[in-house]
Amino acid sequence: MTNQQLQEKFQQQFGQTAQHTFFGPGRVNLIGEHIDYNGGLVMPCAITFGTYLLTAPNAEGKFRLRSLNFKEELTVPVQDHYQKTGDSWFNYPLGVIDYFAQAGKELQGLDMLFYGDIPIGSGLSSSASIEVVTAFALNTLFNGNFSRLDLVKIAKQVENQFIGVNCGIMDQFAVGFGEKDKALKLDCETVEYEAVDCNLGDYVLAIINTNKPRKLAESKYNERVNECQEALKALRHEIAINYLCDLEPEVLQKHLHLIQDPVVKNRAQHVVEENHRVKQAAGALAANRIDEFGKLMYASHQSLKDLYEVSGKELDTIVEFALTRDDVAGARMTGAGFGGCAIALVKGDSFDDFSEKITAYYTEKIGYAPSVYNSLIGDGVKEL
Ligand code: GLA
């Protein structure tokens, strides 16, 4: 949808002209999966798909929330707190409005039109993107005086408390701080980061959406978070650590006997080894060793499949196909898993062939087609 079309839609919806247009991107994570809530290193990038938000004040003292992606709409008066209603999309912006209201910010009636070109529920962080773009917009329009990092933390808190998913900070951070052509090397314990050049040489970043409906993803996600807590608790009987990622793989091996449950052992092993892989991957990317980076991606996927058990036959089929190709350096699932998207580093001049062949392979095995995108790394949240 062009900017002009968005403006027209706003006019049709609200009978007035939009005064501001904001954009919050989605993200992919290159490596470091299920690491953020364990205090380790991750490497996400913002992408050029995302959520647009057009706004104009209204004189009715109401928030009017509309979306071009969903039918449900919400109109609520400006008040000092709000509650989640059902499972509708508007709970994400409503949670952010609630945060600002409870923080005592002076809010006024606002017409808000959302449009996302990220495939919804595909694991590319459509939810973080809508949360952060709303927080950024309210902060700009109502002089919230929050820093960019505050906005990221507010969006995460909304996801944790208002929505009820115990996610870490990676997605909201990537949406807030992404930079064109850069990957963010983010330490999730200190929230310090470095924007590193994402120079992929001859390769491009392909995103392959499994198009699998993601049911149960939230409850399974929270289950993994709890398993990591359990592992941490057991290890703390002998070692003083704040997070699983404070451990090097050799140290974990020495203390693994402290964890009784074999499943919980596997979870801890994934986390500690994945964190170690991110450090190696950062070195490989900085030195343009894309082959090495790709191998680490494959290893990451294997571990998410076997030890962390968050993959599935759809994601595995994509990686299995990638492994047969000399023009693919590496591939893995990205994001929480349980469906969603995989990423692959594919030689630029064979992208079209890759796209065509993987579509045929996947469709034959799974019974429906994936979507394949040639993704660009874009900027974080901004006003357009
Ligand atoms: C989801 C969560 C993130 C992160 C990833 C897995 O995207 O929102 O916080 O935990 O899963 O790496």
Side-chain angles (χ1 to χ4, degrees):
M1 185 131 2
T2 63
N3 187 33
Q4 161 101 31
Q5 286 167 321
L6 284 174
Q7 304 298 326
E8 283 166 17
K9 295 278 182 195
F10 189 93
Q11 183 78 37
Q12 283 163 18
Q13 284 282 345
F14 297 114
Q16 63 164 333
T17 309
Q19 292 188 0
H20 296 265
T21 304
F22 303 91
F23 175 74
R27 67 98 188 86
V28 291
N29 183 21
L30 297 181
I31 193 158
E33 218 62 86
H34 288 277
I35 286 297
D36 57 353
Y37 54 85
N38 289 302
L41 280 179
V42 294
M43 225 196 255
C45 317
I47 54 178
T48 47
F49 299 126
T51 306
Y52 295 82
L53 166 56
L54 284 73
T55 66
N58 65 51
E60 290 167 46
K62 289 181 177 154
F63 285 103
R64 298 196 289 197
L65 278 62
R66 306 287 183 267
S67 161
L68 296 179
N69 302 87
F70 300 97
K71 277 211 209 78
E72 301 105 311
E73 20 185 84
L74 182 74
T75 301
V76 282
V78 173
Q79 55 196 39
D80 54 15
H81 97 115
Y82 298 87
Q83 261 170 352
K84 186 179 169 197
T85 331
D87 285 326
S88 282
W89 69 272
F90 52 65
N91 285 304
Y92 295 95
L94 188 64
V96 176
I97 294 172
D98 177 61
Y99 186 97
F100 275 73
Q102 294 212 40
K105 302 294 173 193
E106 282 188 31
L107 304 177
Q108 279 158 18
L110 191 67
D111 289 343
M112 307 171 84
L113 179 67
F114 294 88
Y115 168 68
D117 61 5
I118 321 181
I120 312 275
S122 62
L124 300 178
S125 289
S126 49
S127 54
S129 136
I130 189 170
E131 287 155 0
V132 175
V133 78
T134 305
F136 187 87
L138 297 185
N139 198 46
T140 308
L141 300 172
F142 300 116
N143 302 316
N145 285 318
F146 289 119
S147 69
R148 201 170 264 263
L149 184 58
D150 293 335
L151 297 176
V152 164
K153 290 182 174 169
I154 290 167
K156 173 182 181 283
Q157 185 174 323
V158 167
E159 183 85 38
N160 294 159
Q161 295 176 7
F162 199 85
I163 304 296
V165 177
N166 295 326
C167 67
I169 203 166
M170 173 173 77
D171 301 349
Q172 289 78 10
F173 195 94
V175 176
F177 285 90
E179 286 178 36
K180 191 176 184 308
D181 298 330
K182 306 269 185 185
L184 306 179
K185 191 175 139 203
L186 168 66
D187 179 330
C188 299
E189 180 168 7
T190 59
V191 207
E192 276 164 14
Y193 82 106
E194 202 184 327
V196 298
D197 283 337
C198 194
N199 184 353
L200 300 175
D202 300 344
Y203 290 91
V204 294
L205 184 64
I207 300 181
I208 307 101
N209 187 354
T210 59
N211 288 333
K212 178 190 181 186
R214 287 213 300 166
K215 294 208 186 92
L216 287 180
E218 292 181 2
S219 59
K220 287 277 176 204
Y221 183 89
N222 287 348
E223 187 182 297
R224 292 296 176 279
V225 175
N226 292 335
E227 287 162 345
C228 290
Q229 288 300 328
E230 200 182 320
L232 181 63
K233 211 170 134 205
L235 291 164
R236 275 179 165 169
H237 283 123
E238 278 183 15
I239 24 181
I241 46 170
N242 292 327
Y243 290 100
L244 288 180
C245 291
D246 293 342
L247 293 176
E248 290 299 327
E250 315 79 66
V251 183
L252 175 69
Q253 282 310 323
K254 274 194 215 132
H255 294 90
L256 212 50
H257 63 273
L258 292 169
I259 306 174
Q260 301 298 319
D261 185 335
V263 170
V264 175
K265 261 188 203 177
N266 285 347
R267 307 298 190 240
Q269 200 179 332
H270 163 76
V271 168
V272 170
E273 289 173 1
E274 177 79 353
N275 190 46
H276 185 66
R277 273 190 287 274
V278 180
K279 294 178 196 164
Q280 294 174 302
L285 188 64
N288 290 327
R289 294 194 303 266
I290 304 301
D291 287 347
E292 183 185 336
F293 193 92
K295 291 203 177 87
L296 291 161
M297 289 171 76
Y298 281 132
S300 165
H301 185 82
Q302 195 69 34
S303 173
L304 289 157
K305 171 174 182 271
D306 297 337
L307 298 176
Y308 218 68
E309 297 179 277
V310 291
S311 185
K313 71 172 185 312
E314 298 80 4
L315 289 164
D316 294 344
T317 299
I318 292 167
V319 173
E320 183 185 295
F321 175 80
L323 275 163
T324 64
R325 307 253 318 189
D326 290 343
D327 51 8
V328 178
R332 58 185 288 277
M333 53 158 273
T334 190
F338 318 103
C341 288
I343 51 174
L345 296 180
V346 182
K347 280 261 166 71
D349 50 15
S350 32
F351 178 83
D352 290 342
D353 184 62
F354 170 82
S355 170
E356 191 187 305
K357 302 270 167 50
I358 198 167
T359 301
Y361 184 86
Y362 182 93
T363 309
E364 200 201 313
K365 295 245 156 161
I366 304 295
Y368 50 84
S371 309
V372 186
Y373 315 98
N374 180 347
S375 164
L376 296 177
I377 299 176
D379 282 329
V381 68
K382 59 184 173 186
E383 181 165 2
L384 298 178

